[in-house]
Amino acid sequence: MKLVPETESQAVDGRPTISFPLRVGSIDIGSNAMRAMVAEFSSAGSYTMLDLERRAVRLGHDVFLTGRLTQDAMDAAIEALRAFAKLFQERNVIRYRAVTTSAVRDARNGEEFLERAHRETGIRVDLISGAEEARLVHLAVTHRIQLGNRRWVLADLGGGSVEVSIADGDAIYWTQSHGMGSVRLLEELAVTGDEPGRFRRRLEEYTSTLSLPIRGHIRLAGFIATGGNIEALARLIQAEPDPQGVSRIPVAKLRATIHALAGLSYRERVEQFGLREDRADVILPAAMVYERLASLAGFEEILAPNVGIKEGVLLDIVAELVPQWRRNRRSRIAWTGALSLGRRFRLDAAHGKHVARLALSLLEQLRDKADFDQLDRRVLVAASILHDVGTFIAYRRHHKHSYYIISESELPGFSPAELQLVANVARYHRKSPPGPQHEPYMKLSEKNQKRVNRLAAVLRLADSLDREHKQTVKSVRAVVEDKSLMLELSGVGDLLLERWALQQKSALFEKEFGWKVRIRGDEHA
């Protein structure tokens, strides 16, 4: 049986229906360890874990000091991937996804490792961003805890970073990745032969820089922590999972455990607490990050749902396979992710969302004539919402500032190459069209240059329909007639400014599609 990675099953149209039960697998290549999980789903939201394997491969050990993965670490990781591939074969896994995070993301030879992994094991590994980590964790958490419509703080701590989010049951409203993973803190702050108290004081000073964007009027519902270290801490504190699988950790007991751990040597932690050797050295830094975030959030209890990225990957795969779930699903991920990023830069969300709706409406109405695909839809959603994000820097040249902000940020569900498409489309929502003098645009393939041209042309039309940011145009009907795109506007008032703006910004569309843009009812049409 050939293993099929989830990334090969993204062409949703025409995909055969998957029947239950079905088996899927996930691989999480972290900075401190590697995990593989196999689960059997009886329905889209219900599964039974069949296998969970963990390999103590600390890829982050040298990366956080030297910037490179060592040959020994890569060899160990390749051997673990071979074992995971064999497990998937034996368990008749029909889809899998393997992801890797901070250590490989930060390594100068990370691409070399990914290529070698695929060549030697057949496993394709996706290098995901901190924003994508947060999305997958949120997916797993909402499957275990009913978040409802109140906002919670979520903290997922790994070996290389901690992803902190504010989210409810539907969406992530804010997320930020900090380079304060347990292995990274250990490697950067520990001094050989140092007495434990000094290491703890350094950790306190370092973690004191963490912050949360909590305003007085926002009442948070609780603090949720994920990652192997919080699960180990729950066991130390004897916080047994409830029937839903959630452990509740009093922050007072966490502080007492920090005090106890800080007074012990590495060997004493192994012997007295029964910790694994690859856990005993990193658990103190992890505990202090969790405690700091819980204090910032203002809660005296931490909920540990005992799920993480690996479970999120499984749920994500199945959601993509189920016909009634997958339609427009990736566009919804792009929508919520773009809004989350935009809020960090004081985005005019009402304008961004309205332009996105108008742009999507145009795309859908022209789909049969212009051959748009699912990637076009996702890119257009994110670029439309974020096209004005550059005004955070300055209104003048804000289209260029938008390109910079987007290209230097992270969006869940988008690879680095796809993020460049989003940034370029947003950059060309105004002023001069793409040209050979624009270096980021010229770095794109010819196919993607054409994609940017077409999507930027649609975005220009949609943006012109909300010229005053007042959402006066409520809808637009588009029909192609005799080499003309006839647009019928519905809204409030005479819409004279929007009609004028539409004509002013239609040149790129007319060049790319060969249709003259006309407005029904306009005497100048």
Side-chain angles (χ1 to χ4, degrees):
M1 182 193 73
K2 178 189 175 185
L3 284 175
V4 181
E6 195 270 343
T7 49
E8 286 187 359
S9 63
Q10 292 179 2
V12 298
D13 294 335
R15 193 186 308 161
T17 300
I18 301 297
S19 60
F20 293 100
L22 61 87
R23 291 184 180 184
V24 294
S26 65
I27 298 173
D28 173 16
I29 305 175
S31 300
N32 190 48
M34 298 172 59
R35 298 172 180 84
M37 185 173 174
V38 176
E40 182 167 280
F41 280 73
S42 57
S43 67
S46 179
Y47 68 86
T48 300
M49 184 178 70
L50 302 180
D51 298 278
L52 177 60
E53 290 195 8
R54 181 183 188 275
R55 295 292 182 99
V57 179
R58 186 169 284 182
L59 287 173
H61 176 71
D62 287 278
V63 171
F64 304 137
L65 294 177
T66 68
R68 295 181 64 84
L69 296 163
T70 65
Q71 193 66 42
D72 287 346
M74 286 194 289
D75 289 345
I78 295 296
E79 187 59 35
L81 286 175
R82 286 197 186 98
F84 295 162
K86 182 180 179 182
L87 171 66
F88 288 173
Q89 292 277 5
E90 292 173 346
R91 283 298 200 173
N92 295 317
V93 166
I94 67 160
R95 289 286 191 276
Y96 77 89
R97 188 185 184 196
V99 299
T100 187
T101 54
S102 186
V104 179
R105 197 163 59 220
D106 292 351
R108 291 195 297 272
N109 58 343
E111 284 296 328
E112 175 190 331
F113 168 70
L114 298 180
E115 291 170 4
R116 184 182 164 195
H118 186 219
R119 184 176 65 251
E120 297 185 21
T121 73
I123 297 282
R124 292 186 180 180
V125 180
D126 294 339
L127 180 59
I128 63 173
S129 66
E132 178 69 352
E133 286 185 63
R135 182 185 74 84
L136 292 170
V137 169
H138 177 254
L139 183 59
V141 168
T142 54
H143 186 73
R144 182 64 58 89
I145 300 175
Q146 297 297 317
L147 302 186
N149 57 10
R150 296 183 64 192
R151 298 188 184 185
W152 300 65
V153 177
L154 276 61
D156 179 60
L157 187 141
S161 63
V162 57
E163 276 63 50
V164 186
S165 307
I166 294 178
D168 63 15
D170 293 324
I172 296 174
Y173 293 91
W174 176 90
T175 187
Q176 194 163 51
S177 182
H178 300 271
M180 290 192 188
S182 56
V183 176
R184 192 189 298 267
L185 290 172
L186 179 71
E187 300 294 352
E188 292 182 352
L189 299 181
V191 176
T192 303
D194 202 3
E195 61 97 11
R198 290 186 179 179
F199 179 46
R200 179 183 178 179
R201 288 194 293 275
R202 278 194 292 272
L203 285 169
E204 286 174 342
E205 292 184 12
Y206 202 77
T207 58
S208 67
T209 61
L210 286 168
S211 62
L212 291 173
I214 300 174
R215 298 181 181 91
H217 66 281
I218 297 178
R219 294 193 63 183
L220 298 171
F223 179 81
I224 299 171
T226 57
N229 282 295
I230 197 66
E231 293 171 15
L233 287 162
R235 289 190 293 271
L236 279 183
I237 295 169
Q238 297 181 334
E240 295 297 324
D242 63 19
Q244 286 70 46
V246 179
S247 302
R248 297 176 178 272
I249 302 170
V251 174
K253 286 191 175 181
L254 177 62
R255 293 189 182 112
T257 302
I258 288 171
H259 182 73
L261 290 169
L264 299 176
S265 67
Y266 162 76
R267 182 50 53 188
E268 288 170 334
R269 292 177 197 167
V270 173
E271 293 172 353
Q272 293 187 29
F273 288 111
L275 293 168
R276 287 195 308 265
E277 293 191 353
D278 66 323
R279 181 73 68 198
D281 53 354
V282 297
I283 196 167
L284 177 60
M288 294 185 66
V289 171
Y290 289 127
E291 190 277 333
R292 166 66 178 171
L293 290 170
S295 297
L296 286 171
F299 290 98
E300 290 302 319
E301 182 180 66
I302 298 173
L303 274 60
N306 296 292
V307 293
I309 290 176
K310 60 188 184 300
E311 288 86 2
V313 167
L314 294 175
L315 291 162
D316 202 42
I317 292 172
V318 174
E320 189 70 15
L321 293 175
V322 177
Q324 63 266 34
W325 284 22
R326 68 180 179 237
R327 176 165 175 74
N328 299 335
R329 176 176 168 273
R330 292 178 180 270
S331 295
R332 291 195 297 273
I333 293 170
W335 184 285
T336 57
L339 282 176
S340 176
L341 174 62
R343 288 185 181 100
R344 292 169 57 186
F345 297 96
R346 301 173 189 169
L347 180 76
D348 181 351
H351 172 65
K353 289 190 291 185
H354 194 64
V355 170
R357 291 189 187 101
L358 294 170
L360 279 178
S361 175
L362 289 170
L363 184 145
E364 289 298 326
Q365 293 179 72
L366 299 175
R367 193 170 187 175
D368 292 339
K369 299 282 187 180
D371 194 29
F372 291 112
D373 61 21
Q374 289 295 316
L375 179 57
D376 288 325
R377 183 182 177 88
R378 293 195 297 121
V379 170
L380 184 60
V381 165
S384 297
I385 289 173
L386 293 169
H387 70 278
D388 277 348
V389 73
T391 57
F392 178 80
I393 297 174
Y395 181 82
R396 183 173 178 271
R397 294 158 49 105
H398 74 265
H399 54 299
K400 296 182 180 180
H401 302 322
S402 292
Y403 169 83
Y404 172 77
I405 289 174
I406 297 169
S407 64
E408 294 298 319
S409 299
E410 298 176 343
L411 279 178
F414 287 92
S415 69
E418 291 169 345
L419 193 63
Q420 281 298 312
L421 298 177
V422 176
N424 273 279
V425 172
R427 184 252 186 269
Y428 294 112
H429 82 274
R430 69 192 290 265
K431 298 295 185 180
S432 61
Q437 72 275 23
H438 301 150
E439 184 179 349
Y441 172 81
M442 294 305 296
K443 288 181 179 179
L444 301 175
S445 68
E446 184 176 342
K447 178 181 178 180
N448 281 333
Q449 286 179 4
K450 185 68 173 177
R451 190 190 300 273
V452 166
N453 294 352
R454 284 156 47 97
L455 295 180
V458 173
L459 175 54
R460 286 183 181 219
L461 297 187
D463 188 37
S464 70
L465 295 176
D466 197 33
R467 171 80 179 187
E468 293 187 285
H469 293 215
K470 293 182 178 179
Q471 295 81 60
T472 51
V473 173
K474 302 304 180 184
S475 65
V476 57
R477 182 171 179 266
V479 179
V480 177
E481 298 177 352
D482 300 325
K483 295 186 177 181
S484 292
L485 176 68
M486 298 299 299
L487 298 179
E488 183 177 342
L489 310 184
S490 298
V492 179
D494 54 21
L495 306 179
L496 287 177
L497 185 59
E498 289 78 12
R499 290 171 180 267
W500 170 83
L502 193 61
Q503 297 290 7
Q504 295 297 311
K505 298 187 73 171
S506 62
L508 181 59
F509 186 93
E510 293 175 347
K511 176 184 176 183
E512 288 302 314
F513 293 91
W515 302 325
K516 182 71 175 177
V517 176
R518 299 184 181 276
I519 305 170
R520 199 176 297 280
D522 193 326
E523 67 264 23
H524 301 297

